[in-house]
Each structure stands twice: as structure tokens, then as C-alpha cells.
Amino acid sequence: MTAVHLPDSPPGRLPRLSRRVPVRKILCLLPLLLVTVVAVQHRSVLAAGFAHLGTAEWPWLLAAAGATCLTWVAAACTRQGAVVERLPRRRLLATQFAAGAANHLLPTGLGASAVNLRFMTVCGLPLARSSAALALYLLAESIGRLALLGALLVAFPGALRLGVLLPEGALGPLLLAAGLVLLVAAGTLACVRRLRTAALSFLRTALGEARSVHTRPSRALALWGGSLAFPALQASVLVLVGLALGLQVPPAHMAVAYLAATVAVALVPTPGGVGSVEAALVVALVAAGGPAAVATAVVLAFRIMTVWLPLLPGALTLGALVRLKVI
């Protein structure tokens, strides 16, 4: 019999017979694990949402699915408009699809921001400019959402009963709290020199990036056009789902309710706004004149359409992009 010789190893230690699992392979599987955890935690919401989708009118749902797909195109246009360099289109679009899944698995905004920041750095943009482009995108998207909400409120002043959304006497404390946060932030910057220097350096980079983008009409059009189209498409998905389920609220009022609810929960640090968005949307639709039971069904079906159905393919895309070193 031929003897098998194991490689020499230090005394008291067994030889290493297997290689370590690469970190990148673990990162590829992590999104799927997170999807499973989130789905199990919200299984009752998923069951109720799919039950409501089964009773909806399918032509409206197909139109809602098409509008949902267009939101990723709008996001890709806005991302491209935030940088001067041309980004690879197909990879940019795939990254927005994957970023949507990451955004629902991590606290609001962090998942998508991290994915897009990594994508831009892999494309060759320095970290400072990538961060500035990310800040410009977030600013443009916020301005676009607020501008669209303001325009609809001017056009349809009775679309929302704000007294239902905001308890009497709550506006003053909210404004005071916001002022205190800004005051503390300004005081911290004034007292901490290193932080102030970093903030000023970032501000100079961001302003320079914004000027460069706006010297090119195609980039400015992509930035601001996409920042308006993105919330408009999101609102249209809710409107189409409401029509599919027979919600007796005018479409423009449903759009106002969606925009008002998403603005209200923008600062709530929950993964993708899970929980807080549903509650705010139900309250907003009721404030717009919808019955509570039907409004709840519409919101659950809307979240199934925009969050849960794309979540698994989005997580698979995210894992594939990590494996292919696109991000």
C-alpha cells in the first residue's frame, strides 16, 4: 500500500485542507439572505398584498408594472446627469435596479447610495467627485419631489386635508426641532476644525461638479428631467394600482397623497421606509377622501408591486454585479 504524506505543518496544528471562502462570494450571497429575512419578517403584509392583487383589474396592474420599470430608467438618467463623464449605460441601468433592492434592505437611502458610490468609483471617478455627484443627485431628487408636490397642491388645493395628516399645534414643535438640528450642526462645524475643513472641501468639490454639469445642456436636462420624472412615475404607479382596485379618489389627489406621504417619511431611518411608508400612505389616502379599508388594500398592493416583486431579482442582480466587479 502506498503511504499518503500530508504536507509538513507546525506541531499541534492540523494542515490546512481547504481554502478560505473569498469575501466577494459571501457578499454575493448576502443580498439573498437579507431578502429572506425581510420577507419572513413581513410575511403577513406579503400575504395580504398578494391577495389584493388577485382581485385587481389586470390592465391597470400591467400599466403600473411598466411605470415601475420606467422609474429605474429615470433614476439612471438622473445619475448620468450628475456627472460629466459618460457612464456605461447598460451597467448604469442594472446598477439602479440592484440599488433599488439594496435600498429596501438597508436604512433609507444608504443602500442605493452605497451601490452607486461604488459603481462610480469602479468607473474611474475619484471618491470626492463620486460623493459630490451623489449629493447632487439627492439634492435634485428632493427638489424635484417637492416641486412636483407644490405644483399639484397649487393646481388642486383641495386634494389633501392637512389637518388629518398633521395634528393641531404640531407644526410649531416640528419647525423648532428642525431649527435646533440645524443649529447643532452649524455649531459642531464651527467648533471642530477638522470637520469644518472636510465639510468646506466637500462643498467646494460639490459646487465645482454642479457647475461642470450645468455647462453641458444634455447633462442638465438628464439631471433635472430625471429628478422630476422619477417621483412622477412613482406617483403614477400608486394611481394605477388605485384604479385597479377601484379606489374612489381622483387620480391627481392620489398623486398628491403619495408625494406628501413620501416627503413626510423621508427622514425616518427604516429599511426602504418599510412600515412607515405604508402607514403614511394609508393616512394620506384617507385624508384625500378614500375609505380606510380600500386605501389599505391599495397601499399593500402598491408596495407589493414596487418593493416585493422586484426585490428578489434585484438582489440577484446585485450579487451578479458584485461577482462581476461592476460594483
Side-chain angles (χ1 to χ4, degrees):
M1 178 180 292
T2 304
V4 177
H5 297 282
L6 294 174
D8 295 335
S9 59
R13 179 180 296 179
L14 293 175
R16 182 179 296 176
L17 298 178
S18 61
R19 299 174 60 187
R20 290 190 304 172
V21 178
V23 176
R24 189 169 291 273
K25 288 186 177 180
I26 297 176
L27 292 176
C28 291
L29 297 175
L30 184 59
L32 297 178
L33 177 61
L34 291 175
V35 168
T36 304
V37 171
V38 174
V40 170
Q41 290 177 341
H42 298 86
R43 57 186 179 275
S44 59
V45 175
L46 287 171
F50 277 113
H52 292 306
L53 283 178
T55 63
E57 297 182 16
W58 283 97
W60 292 117
L61 287 184
L62 290 176
T68 301
C69 294
L70 289 177
T71 59
W72 302 315
V73 178
C77 288
T78 313
R79 300 283 183 186
Q80 176 61 85
V83 294
V84 175
E85 290 81 359
R86 180 179 293 277
L87 300 173
R89 294 180 180 178
R90 293 181 181 178
R91 284 185 282 171
L92 176 60
L93 184 58
T95 301
Q96 302 321 301
F97 184 50
N103 209 40
H104 296 300
L105 299 174
L106 295 174
T108 304
L110 293 181
S113 297
V115 169
N116 280 285
L117 187 63
R118 176 63 181 170
F119 171 70
M120 286 186 287
T121 54
V122 169
C123 287
L125 272 72
L127 181 59
R129 290 191 56 215
S130 298
S131 302
L134 181 62
L136 180 58
Y137 168 87
L138 294 174
L139 177 62
E141 202 275 334
S142 300
I143 293 175
R145 189 176 296 269
L146 289 172
L148 190 59
L149 175 60
L152 286 175
L153 284 175
V154 170
F156 305 95
L160 205 62
R161 298 194 297 270
L162 294 178
V164 179
L165 292 176
L166 195 63
E168 186 178 356
L171 182 59
L174 285 176
L175 293 177
L176 179 60
L180 287 176
V181 169
L182 292 176
L183 186 62
V184 170
T188 303
L189 288 176
C191 296
V192 182
R193 182 178 179 181
R194 182 176 297 180
L195 186 60
R196 183 173 67 251
T197 302
L200 290 175
S201 176
F202 175 77
L203 184 60
R204 284 193 295 269
T205 303
L207 289 175
E209 192 71 16
R211 282 195 299 268
S212 299
V213 164
H214 285 87
T215 58
R216 302 187 62 177
S218 61
R219 293 293 185 267
L221 179 61
L223 177 65
W224 295 107
S227 66
L228 286 171
F230 183 74
L233 287 166
Q234 286 184 320
S236 69
V237 176
L238 179 67
V239 170
L240 291 167
V241 172
L243 294 173
L245 291 175
L247 180 63
Q248 297 301 314
V249 175
H253 293 200
M254 282 191 272
V256 169
Y258 171 79
L259 293 169
T262 53
V263 168
V265 301
L267 299 179
V268 178
T270 57
V274 172
S276 58
V277 168
E278 285 89 344
L281 277 176
V282 171
V283 172
L285 288 176
V286 171
V294 182
T296 302
V298 168
V299 170
L300 291 177
F302 167 75
R303 293 294 274 178
I304 290 289
M305 179 72 66
T306 58
V307 176
W308 296 105
L309 287 179
L311 193 56
L312 180 58
L316 291 171
T317 303
L318 180 60
L321 293 177
V322 171
R323 186 175 183 85
L324 295 172
K325 299 182 180 180
V326 174
I327 58 175

